[in-house]
Amino acid sequence: MRPRVIRQALRAESDPGGGAEAFSWAQVGRDLGIRPGGPVNMAYLAVDRHADSELADKPAFRFLAENRSPHDLSYRELARLTDRFGNALKSLGVQPGDSIFVLCGRRCELYVAVLGALKIGAIVSPLFPAFGPEPIRNRMAQAAGKVLVTTASAYLRKVEPIRGELPSLRHVVLVDDAGGGVVPETHGWEHLLHAASDVPALVATTAGDPALLHFTSGTTGMPKGALHVHAAILTHYATARIALDLRPDDLFWCTADPGWVTGMSYGILAPLAVGATCIVDEAEFDAARWVAILESEGVNVWYTAPTAIRMLMKAGPTLFAGHAFAALRFIASVGEPLNPEAVWWSMETFRLPIHDTWWQTETGGIMVANAAADDIRPGAMGRPVPGIAAHVVRHRAGEPVTVIETPETVGELALESGWPSMFGAYLGQPERYRECFAGNLYLSGDLVRRDADGYFWFVGRSDDVIKTAGHLIGPFEVESALMEHPAVAEAGVIGKPDALAGEVIKAFVALKHDVVPSDALRSELLAHARRRLGAAVAPKEIAFVECLPHTRSGKILRRLLKARELGLSEGDSSTLE
Ligand code: WT7
């Protein structure tokens, strides 16, 4: 029998209760050198602060090319490049509060663009490179994106054809257009940076100024832009230390793409705020490559996702035989439920447990974690990090929200609002923002239970969003793209359980009355969705149905589609909304 608890040796530094001082956000601010009421700028705190310290010549990033050759960029060099890019943006007329989008793979220019834009008070919004034109158009139009930093091929395939629909988009910067201006109506990165000054570009933003815009999906409607402020870096910094045990001497590898919130908060801001060195792997997942990176780069702290762990588990033990991960000290994961089996596999493979952490786009940083100083309960998400108060609440339509005190009772996970990285708005949707709160409680939409020792256990989502390979996808965005096809009358989209990806996107499609279903049509619809949405958002499977189930108010009953898919009893669907 495996034990229910993995004991951790207590490290005084990581133990908020056992340390010299009790935790407070004010103290985190002081640790970062922020003066009360003084300026707060993420890029200053992540980059410039170190460029003027003994860390100046230490690598901020180590980029690994396809052939795994490394390229280091020091804090000092990063400060200079981000000044240049910030000044280049200023010369293009970018003002504080303007939105800058980035759409490219993990390469040096992406990191310089993000930090340079933050430096001058612009709002940065990352787009996942596997998005197709429709998710790009939708997000950029909502935020009136003024500048897009991308590659020539992504621009020509995905943006140039829809540029006419994006009237706010003034400038496109191509990171790989060395000649400058080769593609009409774009700027070349090299040319732009060369022409820019490298005097300090910093703009004195304040704690409450907007910094980041991350789009996230709900059950209904198009993705919402969750807006985060510069003070969010207090959460990034504190949680990197407490939940990820990160120290300035560490080589840190966050495997998430900066197109999603994890890759921004913990792939860029948190580790730089701590003064660590970040590994950036420019290639896509490959099990043998990941083993080689962990071993030969000497990664100390590794933050990854359950899907990646399942893929490594699937690769089999021979992949790990004969390898030693001497430098590896701490492993953590986020984004989807971490199976206890994965924790036991990690104990066998790395002689270390995986520390699960829980958070969301809206929370901006880690809220619940199996922190370094805590014993691990395999299967549990952990306990609220210092500075965060979490509750289990009963939340039913038309009834007041009440806190459930009894352990082991399922309810919705709610957080007392006011932590520094809490989202401040859904862009342009105040009503949807208000709906996320009951009094001072932020309602997460996740169903959980808490055990008698205060550990939270994930039970499921309270809505129909899909988690595929750790990415949150809204069914509505997928259904809308399918319904653009002339053969489709209606579409209902669900997450179908999958051993590797957690869920895969499956669409149920009702065809127009004169259309005959066929395998050729199915392939055509899959290709149509992939073209419009991109590989990350398109369905993997399509089933034709006569008609879709609806609520009495006419909404598609996705829960019923899912129950059918799982072979479960359908229950009395007539009572649903
Ligand atoms: C949703 C948020 C967290 C940053 C990346 C994802 C699910 C997150 C866990 C976990 C089970 C988890 C929740 C949450 N989730 N962490 N440790 N165990 N589920 O951010 O795309 O906004 O997704 O991911 O359902 O609500 P996101």
Side-chain angles (χ1 to χ4, degrees), residues 255 285 290 302 304-315 333-339 342 345 354 467-471 498-504:
T255 61
F285 176 86
W290 278 33
W302 181 35
T304 191
T307 293
I309 294 184
R310 287 191 294 268
M311 295 202 291
L312 289 173
M313 290 167 75
K314 189 174 167 226
S333 84
V334 69
E336 1 154 22
L338 181 70
N339 198 290
W345 169 85
I354 303 170
K467 256 290 153 120
T468 178
H471 302 147
D498 180 82
L500 220 50
E503 293 182 321
V504 291

PDB file of all heavy atoms in Angstrom, residues 255 285 290 302 304-315 333-339 342 345 354 467-471 498-504:
ATOM      1  N   THR A 255       7.795  24.800 -18.733  1.00  0.00           N
ATOM      2  CA  THR A 255       7.632  24.281 -20.092  1.00  0.00           C
ATOM      3  C   THR A 255       6.445  24.899 -20.831  1.00  0.00           C
ATOM      4  O   THR A 255       6.235  24.608 -21.999  1.00  0.00           O
ATOM      5  CB  THR A 255       7.487  22.741 -20.072  1.00  0.00           C
ATOM      6  OG1 THR A 255       6.325  22.413 -19.310  1.00  0.00           O
ATOM      7  CG2 THR A 255       8.713  22.086 -19.461  1.00  0.00           C
ATOM      8  N   PHE A 285       7.467  19.546 -27.858  1.00  0.00           N
ATOM      9  CA  PHE A 285       7.673  18.414 -26.948  1.00  0.00           C
ATOM     10  C   PHE A 285       8.277  17.216 -27.663  1.00  0.00           C
ATOM     11  O   PHE A 285       7.843  16.830 -28.743  1.00  0.00           O
ATOM     12  CB  PHE A 285       6.341  17.997 -26.319  1.00  0.00           C
ATOM     13  CG  PHE A 285       6.476  16.764 -25.454  1.00  0.00           C
ATOM     14  CD1 PHE A 285       6.849  16.896 -24.130  1.00  0.00           C
ATOM     15  CD2 PHE A 285       6.277  15.497 -25.977  1.00  0.00           C
ATOM     16  CE1 PHE A 285       6.997  15.772 -23.327  1.00  0.00           C
ATOM     17  CE2 PHE A 285       6.434  14.365 -25.180  1.00  0.00           C
ATOM     18  CZ  PHE A 285       6.792  14.507 -23.851  1.00  0.00           C
ATOM     19  N   TRP A 290      13.440  16.144 -23.788  1.00  0.00           N
ATOM     20  CA  TRP A 290      13.165  16.696 -22.457  1.00  0.00           C
ATOM     21  C   TRP A 290      14.058  16.038 -21.399  1.00  0.00           C
ATOM     22  O   TRP A 290      14.566  16.701 -20.509  1.00  0.00           O
ATOM     23  CB  TRP A 290      11.674  16.541 -22.108  1.00  0.00           C
ATOM     24  CG  TRP A 290      10.832  17.624 -22.717  1.00  0.00           C
ATOM     25  CD1 TRP A 290      11.049  18.244 -23.922  1.00  0.00           C
ATOM     26  CD2 TRP A 290       9.672  18.226 -22.150  1.00  0.00           C
ATOM     27  NE1 TRP A 290      10.074  19.192 -24.138  1.00  0.00           N
ATOM     28  CE2 TRP A 290       9.212  19.194 -23.074  1.00  0.00           C
ATOM     29  CE3 TRP A 290       8.957  18.039 -20.977  1.00  0.00           C
ATOM     30  CZ2 TRP A 290       8.089  19.974 -22.837  1.00  0.00           C
ATOM     31  CZ3 TRP A 290       7.814  18.807 -20.734  1.00  0.00           C
ATOM     32  CH2 TRP A 290       7.393  19.772 -21.655  1.00  0.00           C
ATOM     33  N   TRP A 302      11.623  22.627 -11.986  1.00  0.00           N
ATOM     34  CA  TRP A 302      10.923  22.311 -13.237  1.00  0.00           C
ATOM     35  C   TRP A 302       9.426  22.459 -13.005  1.00  0.00           C
ATOM     36  O   TRP A 302       8.874  21.832 -12.104  1.00  0.00           O
ATOM     37  CB  TRP A 302      11.286  20.862 -13.608  1.00  0.00           C
ATOM     38  CG  TRP A 302      10.700  20.331 -14.869  1.00  0.00           C
ATOM     39  CD1 TRP A 302      10.450  21.009 -16.019  1.00  0.00           C
ATOM     40  CD2 TRP A 302      10.320  18.972 -15.120  1.00  0.00           C
ATOM     41  NE1 TRP A 302       9.938  20.168 -16.967  1.00  0.00           N
ATOM     42  CE2 TRP A 302       9.856  18.913 -16.446  1.00  0.00           C
ATOM     43  CE3 TRP A 302      10.340  17.797 -14.355  1.00  0.00           C
ATOM     44  CZ2 TRP A 302       9.381  17.733 -17.013  1.00  0.00           C
ATOM     45  CZ3 TRP A 302       9.879  16.618 -14.923  1.00  0.00           C
ATOM     46  CH2 TRP A 302       9.421  16.598 -16.242  1.00  0.00           C
ATOM     47  N   THR A 304       5.846  22.101 -14.913  1.00  0.00           N
ATOM     48  CA  THR A 304       5.321  21.534 -16.142  1.00  0.00           C
ATOM     49  C   THR A 304       3.841  21.174 -15.989  1.00  0.00           C
ATOM     50  O   THR A 304       3.191  21.635 -15.043  1.00  0.00           O
ATOM     51  CB  THR A 304       6.221  20.353 -16.585  1.00  0.00           C
ATOM     52  OG1 THR A 304       5.859  19.966 -17.904  1.00  0.00           O
ATOM     53  CG2 THR A 304       6.124  19.170 -15.637  1.00  0.00           C
ATOM     54  N   ALA A 305       3.321  20.401 -16.927  1.00  0.00           N
ATOM     55  CA  ALA A 305       1.882  20.141 -16.958  1.00  0.00           C
ATOM     56  C   ALA A 305       1.607  18.639 -16.922  1.00  0.00           C
ATOM     57  O   ALA A 305       2.397  17.854 -17.436  1.00  0.00           O
ATOM     58  CB  ALA A 305       1.294  20.729 -18.243  1.00  0.00           C
ATOM     59  N   PRO A 306       0.481  18.243 -16.336  1.00  0.00           N
ATOM     60  CA  PRO A 306       0.161  16.812 -16.263  1.00  0.00           C
ATOM     61  C   PRO A 306       0.174  16.114 -17.625  1.00  0.00           C
ATOM     62  O   PRO A 306       0.621  14.966 -17.713  1.00  0.00           O
ATOM     63  CB  PRO A 306      -1.231  16.800 -15.626  1.00  0.00           C
ATOM     64  CG  PRO A 306      -1.220  18.002 -14.727  1.00  0.00           C
ATOM     65  CD  PRO A 306      -0.462  19.053 -15.512  1.00  0.00           C
ATOM     66  N   THR A 307      -0.277  16.785 -18.690  1.00  0.00           N
ATOM     67  CA  THR A 307      -0.262  16.129 -20.011  1.00  0.00           C
ATOM     68  C   THR A 307       1.166  15.764 -20.400  1.00  0.00           C
ATOM     69  O   THR A 307       1.431  14.658 -20.890  1.00  0.00           O
ATOM     70  CB  THR A 307      -0.891  17.025 -21.100  1.00  0.00           C
ATOM     71  OG1 THR A 307      -2.281  17.157 -20.811  1.00  0.00           O
ATOM     72  CG2 THR A 307      -0.734  16.424 -22.485  1.00  0.00           C
ATOM     73  N   ALA A 308       2.105  16.680 -20.169  1.00  0.00           N
ATOM     74  CA  ALA A 308       3.506  16.403 -20.503  1.00  0.00           C
ATOM     75  C   ALA A 308       4.021  15.243 -19.655  1.00  0.00           C
ATOM     76  O   ALA A 308       4.746  14.368 -20.152  1.00  0.00           O
ATOM     77  CB  ALA A 308       4.349  17.657 -20.275  1.00  0.00           C
ATOM     78  N   ILE A 309       3.631  15.218 -18.402  1.00  0.00           N
ATOM     79  CA  ILE A 309       4.083  14.132 -17.518  1.00  0.00           C
ATOM     80  C   ILE A 309       3.524  12.789 -17.998  1.00  0.00           C
ATOM     81  O   ILE A 309       4.247  11.794 -18.058  1.00  0.00           O
ATOM     82  CB  ILE A 309       3.690  14.440 -16.069  1.00  0.00           C
ATOM     83  CG1 ILE A 309       4.481  15.667 -15.655  1.00  0.00           C
ATOM     84  CG2 ILE A 309       3.939  13.236 -15.151  1.00  0.00           C
ATOM     85  CD1 ILE A 309       4.376  16.149 -14.298  1.00  0.00           C
ATOM     86  N   ARG A 310       2.250  12.807 -18.398  1.00  0.00           N
ATOM     87  CA  ARG A 310       1.671  11.553 -18.917  1.00  0.00           C
ATOM     88  C   ARG A 310       2.397  11.103 -20.183  1.00  0.00           C
ATOM     89  O   ARG A 310       2.596   9.916 -20.409  1.00  0.00           O
ATOM     90  CB  ARG A 310       0.168  11.732 -19.183  1.00  0.00           C
ATOM     91  CG  ARG A 310      -0.671  11.790 -17.915  1.00  0.00           C
ATOM     92  CD  ARG A 310      -2.159  11.700 -18.224  1.00  0.00           C
ATOM     93  NE  ARG A 310      -2.651  12.864 -18.963  1.00  0.00           N
ATOM     94  CZ  ARG A 310      -3.167  13.946 -18.393  1.00  0.00           C
ATOM     95  NH1 ARG A 310      -3.275  14.020 -17.073  1.00  0.00           N
ATOM     96  NH2 ARG A 310      -3.591  14.962 -19.113  1.00  0.00           N
ATOM     97  N   MET A 311       2.811  12.046 -21.007  1.00  0.00           N
ATOM     98  CA  MET A 311       3.533  11.663 -22.238  1.00  0.00           C
ATOM     99  C   MET A 311       4.905  11.089 -21.889  1.00  0.00           C
ATOM    100  O   MET A 311       5.366  10.155 -22.540  1.00  0.00           O
ATOM    101  CB  MET A 311       3.636  12.854 -23.182  1.00  0.00           C
ATOM    102  CG  MET A 311       2.251  13.274 -23.673  1.00  0.00           C
ATOM    103  SD  MET A 311       2.204  14.215 -25.210  1.00  0.00           S
ATOM    104  CE  MET A 311       2.900  15.736 -24.783  1.00  0.00           C
ATOM    105  N   LEU A 312       5.554  11.635 -20.871  1.00  0.00           N
ATOM    106  CA  LEU A 312       6.842  11.073 -20.440  1.00  0.00           C
ATOM    107  C   LEU A 312       6.641   9.684 -19.838  1.00  0.00           C
ATOM    108  O   LEU A 312       7.448   8.776 -20.071  1.00  0.00           O
ATOM    109  CB  LEU A 312       7.508  11.999 -19.416  1.00  0.00           C
ATOM    110  CG  LEU A 312       8.043  13.321 -19.954  1.00  0.00           C
ATOM    111  CD1 LEU A 312       8.520  14.211 -18.817  1.00  0.00           C
ATOM    112  CD2 LEU A 312       9.174  13.095 -20.961  1.00  0.00           C
ATOM    113  N   MET A 313       5.557   9.518 -19.077  1.00  0.00           N
ATOM    114  CA  MET A 313       5.271   8.202 -18.482  1.00  0.00           C
ATOM    115  C   MET A 313       5.053   7.173 -19.579  1.00  0.00           C
ATOM    116  O   MET A 313       5.517   6.040 -19.503  1.00  0.00           O
ATOM    117  CB  MET A 313       4.028   8.275 -17.588  1.00  0.00           C
ATOM    118  CG  MET A 313       4.250   9.057 -16.306  1.00  0.00           C
ATOM    119  SD  MET A 313       2.711   9.452 -15.429  1.00  0.00           S
ATOM    120  CE  MET A 313       2.283   7.862 -14.728  1.00  0.00           C
ATOM    121  N   LYS A 314       4.346   7.622 -20.633  1.00  0.00           N
ATOM    122  CA  LYS A 314       4.020   6.717 -21.743  1.00  0.00           C
ATOM    123  C   LYS A 314       5.283   6.301 -22.500  1.00  0.00           C
ATOM    124  O   LYS A 314       5.367   5.189 -23.042  1.00  0.00           O
ATOM    125  CB  LYS A 314       3.057   7.430 -22.692  1.00  0.00           C
ATOM    126  CG  LYS A 314       2.487   6.531 -23.758  1.00  0.00           C
ATOM    127  CD  LYS A 314       1.444   7.265 -24.564  1.00  0.00           C
ATOM    128  CE  LYS A 314       1.129   6.468 -25.818  1.00  0.00           C
ATOM    129  NZ  LYS A 314       1.102   7.277 -27.004  1.00  0.00           N
ATOM    130  N   ALA A 315       6.269   7.193 -22.545  1.00  0.00           N
ATOM    131  CA  ALA A 315       7.505   6.893 -23.280  1.00  0.00           C
ATOM    132  C   ALA A 315       8.222   5.683 -22.680  1.00  0.00           C
ATOM    133  O   ALA A 315       9.034   5.046 -23.353  1.00  0.00           O
ATOM    134  CB  ALA A 315       8.412   8.115 -23.293  1.00  0.00           C
ATOM    135  N   SER A 333       3.563  21.045 -11.007  1.00  0.00           N
ATOM    136  CA  SER A 333       2.726  21.006 -12.207  1.00  0.00           C
ATOM    137  C   SER A 333       1.477  21.841 -12.002  1.00  0.00           C
ATOM    138  O   SER A 333       1.115  22.180 -10.882  1.00  0.00           O
ATOM    139  CB  SER A 333       2.359  19.566 -12.573  1.00  0.00           C
ATOM    140  OG  SER A 333       1.244  19.147 -11.832  1.00  0.00           O
ATOM    141  N   VAL A 334       0.831  22.158 -13.111  1.00  0.00           N
ATOM    142  CA  VAL A 334      -0.393  22.974 -13.080  1.00  0.00           C
ATOM    143  C   VAL A 334      -1.242  22.746 -14.307  1.00  0.00           C
ATOM    144  O   VAL A 334      -0.739  22.299 -15.338  1.00  0.00           O
ATOM    145  CB  VAL A 334      -0.060  24.485 -12.999  1.00  0.00           C
ATOM    146  CG1 VAL A 334       0.572  25.001 -14.285  1.00  0.00           C
ATOM    147  CG2 VAL A 334      -1.318  25.301 -12.682  1.00  0.00           C
ATOM    148  N   GLY A 335      -2.508  23.077 -14.191  1.00  0.00           N
ATOM    149  CA  GLY A 335      -3.365  23.212 -15.354  1.00  0.00           C
ATOM    150  C   GLY A 335      -4.470  22.186 -15.474  1.00  0.00           C
ATOM    151  O   GLY A 335      -5.494  22.442 -16.083  1.00  0.00           O
ATOM    152  N   GLU A 336      -4.255  21.006 -14.905  1.00  0.00           N
ATOM    153  CA  GLU A 336      -5.248  19.937 -14.973  1.00  0.00           C
ATOM    154  C   GLU A 336      -4.986  19.018 -13.793  1.00  0.00           C
ATOM    155  O   GLU A 336      -3.928  19.120 -13.164  1.00  0.00           O
ATOM    156  CB  GLU A 336      -5.170  19.144 -16.281  1.00  0.00           C
ATOM    157  CG  GLU A 336      -4.104  19.587 -17.220  1.00  0.00           C
ATOM    158  CD  GLU A 336      -3.622  18.484 -18.146  1.00  0.00           C
ATOM    159  OE1 GLU A 336      -4.326  17.494 -18.380  1.00  0.00           O
ATOM    160  OE2 GLU A 336      -2.491  18.622 -18.627  1.00  0.00           O
ATOM    161  N   PRO A 337      -5.925  18.122 -13.526  1.00  0.00           N
ATOM    162  CA  PRO A 337      -5.725  17.237 -12.381  1.00  0.00           C
ATOM    163  C   PRO A 337      -4.453  16.409 -12.549  1.00  0.00           C
ATOM    164  O   PRO A 337      -4.157  15.913 -13.630  1.00  0.00           O
ATOM    165  CB  PRO A 337      -6.963  16.334 -12.408  1.00  0.00           C
ATOM    166  CG  PRO A 337      -7.981  17.086 -13.203  1.00  0.00           C
ATOM    167  CD  PRO A 337      -7.222  17.918 -14.182  1.00  0.00           C
ATOM    168  N   LEU A 338      -3.700  16.309 -11.472  1.00  0.00           N
ATOM    169  CA  LEU A 338      -2.483  15.501 -11.470  1.00  0.00           C
ATOM    170  C   LEU A 338      -2.820  14.189 -10.777  1.00  0.00           C
ATOM    171  O   LEU A 338      -3.094  14.155  -9.577  1.00  0.00           O
ATOM    172  CB  LEU A 338      -1.364  16.226 -10.725  1.00  0.00           C
ATOM    173  CG  LEU A 338      -0.030  15.488 -10.689  1.00  0.00           C
ATOM    174  CD1 LEU A 338       0.616  15.470 -12.070  1.00  0.00           C
ATOM    175  CD2 LEU A 338       0.912  16.133  -9.679  1.00  0.00           C
ATOM    176  N   ASN A 339      -2.784  13.121 -11.547  1.00  0.00           N
ATOM    177  CA  ASN A 339      -3.126  11.813 -11.033  1.00  0.00           C
ATOM    178  C   ASN A 339      -2.105  11.365  -9.981  1.00  0.00           C
ATOM    179  O   ASN A 339      -0.907  11.561 -10.183  1.00  0.00           O
ATOM    180  CB  ASN A 339      -3.099  10.870 -12.240  1.00  0.00           C
ATOM    181  CG  ASN A 339      -3.827   9.613 -11.953  1.00  0.00           C
ATOM    182  OD1 ASN A 339      -3.353   8.812 -11.166  1.00  0.00           O
ATOM    183  ND2 ASN A 339      -4.973   9.453 -12.569  1.00  0.00           N
ATOM    184  N   ALA A 342       0.980   9.676 -11.193  1.00  0.00           N
ATOM    185  CA  ALA A 342       2.061  10.498 -11.750  1.00  0.00           C
ATOM    186  C   ALA A 342       3.043  10.902 -10.653  1.00  0.00           C
ATOM    187  O   ALA A 342       4.252  10.983 -10.884  1.00  0.00           O
ATOM    188  CB  ALA A 342       1.472  11.734 -12.424  1.00  0.00           C
ATOM    189  N   TRP A 345       5.091   7.834  -9.979  1.00  0.00           N
ATOM    190  CA  TRP A 345       6.022   7.651 -11.101  1.00  0.00           C
ATOM    191  C   TRP A 345       7.221   8.600 -10.948  1.00  0.00           C
ATOM    192  O   TRP A 345       8.379   8.211 -11.148  1.00  0.00           O
ATOM    193  CB  TRP A 345       5.287   7.915 -12.420  1.00  0.00           C
ATOM    194  CG  TRP A 345       6.200   8.007 -13.600  1.00  0.00           C
ATOM    195  CD1 TRP A 345       6.691   6.969 -14.352  1.00  0.00           C
ATOM    196  CD2 TRP A 345       6.756   9.207 -14.164  1.00  0.00           C
ATOM    197  NE1 TRP A 345       7.508   7.454 -15.340  1.00  0.00           N
ATOM    198  CE2 TRP A 345       7.564   8.815 -15.247  1.00  0.00           C
ATOM    199  CE3 TRP A 345       6.632  10.560 -13.855  1.00  0.00           C
ATOM    200  CZ2 TRP A 345       8.254   9.756 -16.030  1.00  0.00           C
ATOM    201  CZ3 TRP A 345       7.314  11.489 -14.622  1.00  0.00           C
ATOM    202  CH2 TRP A 345       8.119  11.074 -15.700  1.00  0.00           C
ATOM    203  N   ILE A 354       5.977  15.224  -7.431  1.00  0.00           N
ATOM    204  CA  ILE A 354       5.520  16.404  -8.179  1.00  0.00           C
ATOM    205  C   ILE A 354       4.603  17.188  -7.245  1.00  0.00           C
ATOM    206  O   ILE A 354       3.713  16.609  -6.617  1.00  0.00           O
ATOM    207  CB  ILE A 354       4.758  16.011  -9.457  1.00  0.00           C
ATOM    208  CG1 ILE A 354       5.630  15.130 -10.345  1.00  0.00           C
ATOM    209  CG2 ILE A 354       4.288  17.260 -10.198  1.00  0.00           C
ATOM    210  CD1 ILE A 354       4.881  14.500 -11.507  1.00  0.00           C
ATOM    211  N   LYS A 467     -10.817  21.125 -21.138  1.00  0.00           N
ATOM    212  CA  LYS A 467      -9.379  21.190 -20.865  1.00  0.00           C
ATOM    213  C   LYS A 467      -8.686  20.158 -21.745  1.00  0.00           C
ATOM    214  O   LYS A 467      -8.790  18.959 -21.495  1.00  0.00           O
ATOM    215  CB  LYS A 467      -9.119  20.845 -19.401  1.00  0.00           C
ATOM    216  CG  LYS A 467      -8.806  22.051 -18.532  1.00  0.00           C
ATOM    217  CD  LYS A 467      -7.476  22.650 -18.840  1.00  0.00           C
ATOM    218  CE  LYS A 467      -7.428  24.116 -18.495  1.00  0.00           C
ATOM    219  NZ  LYS A 467      -6.462  24.518 -17.546  1.00  0.00           N
ATOM    220  N   THR A 468      -8.001  20.598 -22.766  1.00  0.00           N
ATOM    221  CA  THR A 468      -7.318  19.650 -23.641  1.00  0.00           C
ATOM    222  C   THR A 468      -5.828  19.959 -23.631  1.00  0.00           C
ATOM    223  O   THR A 468      -5.434  21.099 -23.897  1.00  0.00           O
ATOM    224  CB  THR A 468      -7.917  19.660 -25.077  1.00  0.00           C
ATOM    225  OG1 THR A 468      -7.176  18.762 -25.879  1.00  0.00           O
ATOM    226  CG2 THR A 468      -7.944  21.036 -25.703  1.00  0.00           C
ATOM    227  N   ALA A 469      -5.040  18.980 -23.262  1.00  0.00           N
ATOM    228  CA  ALA A 469      -3.585  19.143 -23.111  1.00  0.00           C
ATOM    229  C   ALA A 469      -3.263  20.379 -22.271  1.00  0.00           C
ATOM    230  O   ALA A 469      -2.327  21.113 -22.565  1.00  0.00           O
ATOM    231  CB  ALA A 469      -2.913  19.226 -24.484  1.00  0.00           C
ATOM    232  N   GLY A 470      -4.065  20.603 -21.253  1.00  0.00           N
ATOM    233  CA  GLY A 470      -3.817  21.727 -20.343  1.00  0.00           C
ATOM    234  C   GLY A 470      -4.362  23.061 -20.833  1.00  0.00           C
ATOM    235  O   GLY A 470      -4.303  24.041 -20.117  1.00  0.00           O
ATOM    236  N   HIS A 471      -4.887  23.121 -22.047  1.00  0.00           N
ATOM    237  CA  HIS A 471      -5.406  24.380 -22.578  1.00  0.00           C
ATOM    238  C   HIS A 471      -6.917  24.451 -22.400  1.00  0.00           C
ATOM    239  O   HIS A 471      -7.628  23.493 -22.674  1.00  0.00           O
ATOM    240  CB  HIS A 471      -5.065  24.527 -24.070  1.00  0.00           C
ATOM    241  CG  HIS A 471      -3.594  24.464 -24.344  1.00  0.00           C
ATOM    242  ND1 HIS A 471      -3.070  23.928 -25.489  1.00  0.00           N
ATOM    243  CD2 HIS A 471      -2.536  24.859 -23.603  1.00  0.00           C
ATOM    244  CE1 HIS A 471      -1.753  23.998 -25.443  1.00  0.00           C
ATOM    245  NE2 HIS A 471      -1.403  24.555 -24.308  1.00  0.00           N
ATOM    246  N   ASP A 498      -9.709  11.574 -22.466  1.00  0.00           N
ATOM    247  CA  ASP A 498      -8.609  11.025 -23.244  1.00  0.00           C
ATOM    248  C   ASP A 498      -7.454  10.725 -22.286  1.00  0.00           C
ATOM    249  O   ASP A 498      -7.121  11.554 -21.437  1.00  0.00           O
ATOM    250  CB  ASP A 498      -8.159  12.056 -24.291  1.00  0.00           C
ATOM    251  CG  ASP A 498      -7.015  11.544 -25.146  1.00  0.00           C
ATOM    252  OD1 ASP A 498      -7.306  10.800 -26.102  1.00  0.00           O
ATOM    253  OD2 ASP A 498      -5.849  11.881 -24.861  1.00  0.00           O
ATOM    254  N   ALA A 499      -6.854   9.559 -22.461  1.00  0.00           N
ATOM    255  CA  ALA A 499      -5.839   9.107 -21.509  1.00  0.00           C
ATOM    256  C   ALA A 499      -4.633  10.041 -21.486  1.00  0.00           C
ATOM    257  O   ALA A 499      -4.009  10.236 -20.447  1.00  0.00           O
ATOM    258  CB  ALA A 499      -5.394   7.693 -21.854  1.00  0.00           C
ATOM    259  N   LEU A 500      -4.300  10.650 -22.593  1.00  0.00           N
ATOM    260  CA  LEU A 500      -3.091  11.470 -22.668  1.00  0.00           C
ATOM    261  C   LEU A 500      -3.382  12.957 -22.447  1.00  0.00           C
ATOM    262  O   LEU A 500      -2.764  13.617 -21.622  1.00  0.00           O
ATOM    263  CB  LEU A 500      -2.446  11.266 -24.043  1.00  0.00           C
ATOM    264  CG  LEU A 500      -0.932  11.176 -24.085  1.00  0.00           C
ATOM    265  CD1 LEU A 500      -0.400  10.190 -23.064  1.00  0.00           C
ATOM    266  CD2 LEU A 500      -0.471  10.778 -25.481  1.00  0.00           C
ATOM    267  N   ALA A 501      -4.344  13.478 -23.197  1.00  0.00           N
ATOM    268  CA  ALA A 501      -4.591  14.926 -23.187  1.00  0.00           C
ATOM    269  C   ALA A 501      -5.605  15.354 -22.121  1.00  0.00           C
ATOM    270  O   ALA A 501      -5.934  16.526 -22.032  1.00  0.00           O
ATOM    271  CB  ALA A 501      -5.079  15.374 -24.559  1.00  0.00           C
ATOM    272  N   GLY A 502      -6.089  14.412 -21.313  1.00  0.00           N
ATOM    273  CA  GLY A 502      -7.140  14.749 -20.350  1.00  0.00           C
ATOM    274  C   GLY A 502      -8.489  14.715 -21.043  1.00  0.00           C
ATOM    275  O   GLY A 502      -9.337  13.877 -20.760  1.00  0.00           O
ATOM    276  N   GLU A 503      -8.669  15.637 -21.989  1.00  0.00           N
ATOM    277  CA  GLU A 503      -9.859  15.641 -22.835  1.00  0.00           C
ATOM    278  C   GLU A 503      -9.434  15.982 -24.256  1.00  0.00           C
ATOM    279  O   GLU A 503      -8.447  16.694 -24.443  1.00  0.00           O
ATOM    280  CB  GLU A 503     -10.859  16.720 -22.370  1.00  0.00           C
ATOM    281  CG  GLU A 503     -11.486  16.462 -21.032  1.00  0.00           C
ATOM    282  CD  GLU A 503     -12.514  17.532 -20.642  1.00  0.00           C
ATOM    283  OE1 GLU A 503     -12.287  18.726 -20.921  1.00  0.00           O
ATOM    284  OE2 GLU A 503     -13.527  17.174 -20.065  1.00  0.00           O
ATOM    285  N   VAL A 504     -10.181  15.501 -25.243  1.00  0.00           N
ATOM    286  CA  VAL A 504     -10.013  16.000 -26.613  1.00  0.00           C
ATOM    287  C   VAL A 504     -11.346  16.618 -27.044  1.00  0.00           C
ATOM    288  O   VAL A 504     -12.406  16.280 -26.518  1.00  0.00           O
ATOM    289  CB  VAL A 504      -9.594  14.900 -27.623  1.00  0.00           C
ATOM    290  CG1 VAL A 504      -8.179  14.423 -27.350  1.00  0.00           C
ATOM    291  CG2 VAL A 504     -10.572  13.735 -27.620  1.00  0.00           C
TER     292      VAL A 504
END
